[in-house]
């Protein structure tokens, strides 16, 4: 733990992955664990981990990278924070992100711009860019992220690390600052597949405080990982839409090479189709923004968070606090969501988007009824330059075309390193049946 902080001290001036460190408490816990001696049965004991700053940590500032929560110290731990602590892992600090997890480059943080660990002139992806860069730069071996439309998988891909968005309902969202409640999911970002599996087993499970969590047993995801035999006999689907227009040739080549490797190991890889995939981004921005506009109502300048000065009425407190506390992208989503849900437009927007969501769910079900999992790219390109897309929300939104449908369908999706393009990492996405993260870990382990 001490070495971790020394390393962060020297590297974070460049990487800028952390918003806030938990130094005193972490060193104290490490000393206590040292005094107890090594618990040989618990591989996670004493392992330093970083936590995305939209996951609440008791007594430790949790800002969701928003001015709105700049000085917010939660009075309780999220369920995953509690599980991290109970597992013996040591929370070393909170990582940077796009404000309220809205974005794909971490440039929407109110506080700082995190750099890609491979090239400091490029974005780390987002919104869990701080978590992915912290892992990729060697600051920590593991971090928690959250994924509403790709925010674990895309930064993992941009930084050449392993990211898992578990099935919706696998991990408790209690204490995750809500963005799109029907889409949000917490998961691990790690250097290796096995570490990822170990951590998911530690943080998953039913939680009476989040009734969308499943009561299914949580397997030991790290058991039975075997690179040579795991995929033998498996049927894999490769959607033709995932290798279409807009996807870089190097990205396509990396995926096709991975498909060949699976075939060599005795799997079959067929071309399949997800015909409604192309409507995913449009449906997502209606649904996620609608949910966000409702979730973010609680930031009213009264109960907690930022409050503007010099206000003359209650209305003025709301308007000024929200105008000053939220960044532009967050305001854009609130306006879009409020509009989509309004009486005159609900049928044309929210209801339509919900119907499209059902078509997307059906597409996945059709493929997954006779395929063990789906493979494809995570993002159409490797990491782009800082500042390149920041003023162009549409381009930014389209970047998530391959990850968003997975959240709409609530399926598990994983990003693993699959190659390079001009020295930048390229990720591969594996998409599974509901609650079958085990198959994804097995397939991912082929490339460990
Ligand atoms: N980039 C997407 C968005 O801006 C996804 C973000 C996320 O998964 N939190 O909404």
């Amino acid at each position: 733990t001490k070495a971790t902080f020394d390393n962060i001290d020297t590297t974070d001036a460049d990487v800028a992955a952390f918003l806030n460190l938990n130094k005193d408490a972490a060193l104290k816990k490490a000393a206590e664990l040292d005094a107890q001696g090594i618990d040989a049965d618990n591989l996670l004991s004493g392992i330093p981990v970083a936590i995305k700053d939209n996951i609440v940590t008791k007594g430790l500032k949790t800002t969701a990278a928003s001015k709105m929560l700049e000085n917010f110290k939660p009075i309780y731990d999220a369920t995953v924070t509690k599980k991290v602590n109970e597992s013996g892992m040591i929370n070393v600090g909170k990582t940077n992100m796009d404000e309220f997890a809205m974005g794909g480059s971490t440039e929407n943080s109110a506080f700082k711009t995190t750099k890609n660990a491979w090239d400091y002139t490029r974005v780390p992806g987002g919104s869990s860019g701080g978590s992915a860069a912290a892992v990729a730069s060697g600051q920590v071996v593991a971090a928690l992220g959250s994924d509403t439309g790709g925010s674990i998988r895309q930064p993992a891909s941009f930084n050449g690390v392993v990211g898992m968005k578990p099935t919706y309902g696998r991990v408790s969202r209690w204490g995750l600052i809500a963005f799109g409640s029907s889409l949000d999911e917490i998961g691990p970002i790690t250097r290796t597949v096995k570490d990822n599996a170990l951590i998911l087993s530690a943080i998953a499970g039913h939680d009476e405080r989040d009734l969308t969590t499943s009561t299914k047993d949580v397997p030991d995801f790290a058991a039975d990982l075997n690179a040579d035999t795991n995929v033998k006999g498996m049927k894999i689907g490769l959607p033709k839409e995932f290798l279409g227009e807009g996807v870089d040739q190097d990205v396509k080549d990396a995926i096709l090479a991975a498909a060949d490797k699976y075939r060599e190991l005795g799997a079959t890889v067929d071309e399949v189709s997800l015909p409604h995939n192309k409507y995913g981004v449009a449906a997502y921005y209606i649904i996620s923004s609608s949910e966000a506009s409702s979730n973010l109502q609680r930031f009213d300048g009264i109960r907690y968070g930022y409050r503007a000065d010099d206000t003359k009425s209650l209305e003025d407190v709301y308007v000024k606090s929200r105008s000053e506390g939220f960044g532009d992208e967050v305001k854009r989503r609130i306006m879009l969501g409020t509009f989509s849900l309004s009486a005159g437009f609900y049928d044309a927007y929210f209801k339509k988007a919900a119907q499209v969501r059902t078509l997307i769910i059906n597409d996945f079900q059709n493929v997954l009824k006779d395929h063990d999992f789906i493979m494809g790219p995570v993002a159409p390109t490797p990491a782009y330059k800082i500042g390149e897309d920041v003023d162009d929300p549409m381009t930014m939104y389209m970047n998530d075309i391959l990850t968003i449908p997975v959240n709409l369908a609530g399926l598990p999706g994983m990003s693993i390193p699959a190659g390079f393009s001009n020295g930048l990492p390229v990720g591969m996405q594996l998409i599974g049946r509901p609650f079958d993260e085990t198959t994804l870990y097995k397939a991912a382990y082929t490339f460990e």
Side-chain angles (χ1 to χ4, degrees):
T1 301
K2 191 172 173 307
T4 297
F5 284 113
D6 290 346
N7 185 5
I8 293 171
D9 279 346
T10 51
T11 54
D12 215 45
D14 290 324
V15 184
F18 283 89
L19 287 175
N20 192 16
L21 296 175
N22 186 33
K23 200 162 178 178
D24 295 342
L27 290 171
K28 186 163 166 264
K29 180 168 180 189
E32 281 163 16
L33 288 171
D34 267 352
Q36 283 166 25
I38 290 174
D39 175 0
D41 293 331
N42 180 8
L43 290 172
L44 298 176
S45 177
I47 301 297
V49 61
I51 298 184
K52 186 176 180 180
D53 206 28
N54 59 350
I55 296 172
V56 302
T57 44
K58 187 175 174 180
L60 180 66
K61 260 207 291 186
T62 301
T63 69
S66 181
K67 186 175 168 192
M68 188 56 95
L69 290 173
E70 192 164 6
N71 297 307
F72 176 57
K73 276 195 184 160
I75 54 170
Y76 67 102
D77 274 330
T79 297
V80 292
T81 306
K82 219 168 121 215
K83 290 194 173 210
V84 159
N85 292 336
E86 285 167 2
S87 73
M89 284 185 277
I90 296 175
N91 166 19
V92 296
K94 307 298 292 289
T95 52
N96 197 23
M97 54 184 283
D98 288 295
E99 185 178 2
F100 288 107
M102 297 172 186
S105 66
T106 312
E107 291 166 294
N108 293 341
S109 167
F111 305 120
K112 53 167 84 166
T113 305
T114 299
K115 313 300 185 311
N116 187 292
W118 295 74
D119 177 347
Y120 295 157
T121 69
R122 290 177 189 270
V123 300
S127 63
S128 312
S131 290
V135 173
S137 62
Q139 292 175 329
V140 281
V141 291
L144 297 187
S146 71
D147 189 313
T148 306
S151 279
I152 288 174
R153 289 160 288 159
Q154 182 256 29
S157 169
F158 281 10
N159 285 282
V161 292
V162 178
M164 167 64 95
K165 181 207 91 75
T167 311
Y168 184 79
R170 181 61 103 178
V171 178
S172 171
R173 291 177 293 109
W174 197 71
L176 171 68
I177 296 174
F179 167 9
S181 306
S182 75
L183 304 155
D184 296 341
E185 194 62 27
I186 296 171
I189 298 178
T190 54
R191 289 176 86 91
T192 73
V193 173
K194 196 161 188 179
D195 287 353
N196 203 290
L198 283 169
I199 292 174
L200 182 60
S201 290
I203 63 170
H206 180 67
D207 180 6
E208 62 184 20
R209 289 172 158 147
D210 172 3
L211 292 178
T212 63
T213 50
S214 166
T215 52
K216 283 191 193 343
D217 281 345
V218 177
D220 176 0
F221 293 114
D224 306 323
L225 296 178
N226 184 313
D228 297 326
T229 59
N230 274 166
V231 298
K232 192 162 192 274
M234 280 194 189
K235 281 192 73 183
I236 306 168
L238 177 51
K240 60 172 192 260
E241 294 81 4
F242 278 26
L243 297 180
E245 213 186 316
V247 179
D248 273 13
Q249 193 57 45
D250 285 353
V251 174
K252 290 182 194 173
D253 290 346
I255 303 309
L256 293 172
D260 285 343
K261 177 78 188 171
Y262 281 140
R263 287 191 185 102
E264 250 171 59
L265 292 171
T268 59
V269 183
D270 314 321
E271 185 182 285
V272 295
S273 176
L274 299 169
H276 300 95
N277 196 71
K278 56 178 182 277
Y279 305 118
V281 172
Y284 167 86
Y285 276 92
I286 301 289
I287 292 168
S288 66
S289 302
S290 298
E291 294 181 10
S293 71
S294 168
N295 279 325
L296 269 54
Q297 284 178 34
R298 73 192 66 177
F299 303 106
D300 56 5
I302 304 285
R303 282 172 285 191
Y304 51 89
Y306 179 78
R307 181 181 298 185
D309 296 330
D310 297 330
T311 49
K312 295 183 180 53
S313 63
L314 181 61
E315 165 108 7
D316 212 26
V317 175
Y318 295 154
V319 172
K320 268 193 151 170
S321 302
R322 289 169 68 86
S323 301
E324 293 168 17
F326 290 137
D328 287 350
E329 184 60 30
V330 174
K331 288 178 190 163
R332 186 157 30 235
R333 309 273 178 123
I334 292 172
M335 287 189 280
L336 183 59
T338 308
F339 176 79
S340 314
L341 290 174
S342 59
F345 296 98
Y346 175 87
D347 283 350
Y349 292 97
F350 189 82
K351 194 170 161 203
K352 253 304 171 266
Q355 289 167 333
V356 170
R357 183 178 195 168
T358 303
L359 297 175
I360 290 172
I361 294 170
N362 292 345
D363 281 358
F364 277 117
Q365 274 173 357
N366 276 338
V367 173
L368 288 169
K369 71 176 186 284
D370 49 13
H371 291 87
D372 294 280
F373 67 94
I374 292 168
M375 65 184 289
V378 179
T381 66
Y384 44 87
K385 292 267 187 196
I386 290 170
E388 198 173 301
D389 286 350
V390 80
D391 297 323
D392 182 359
M394 273 311 282
T395 304
M396 200 73 116
Y397 294 177
M398 288 313 288
N399 266 313
D400 294 325
I401 188 159
L402 305 171
T403 47
I404 276 174
V406 179
N407 299 71
L408 289 170
L411 302 174
M414 189 171 185
S415 173
I416 57 170
F420 288 91
S421 170
N422 297 320
L424 297 169
V426 170
M428 171 161 77
Q429 185 173 207
L430 308 177
I431 302 166
R433 295 172 177 154
F435 297 100
D436 189 19
E437 292 86 359
T438 300
T439 294
L440 300 190
Y441 282 123
K442 285 184 169 175
Y445 199 67
T446 304
F447 299 96
E448 183 89 321

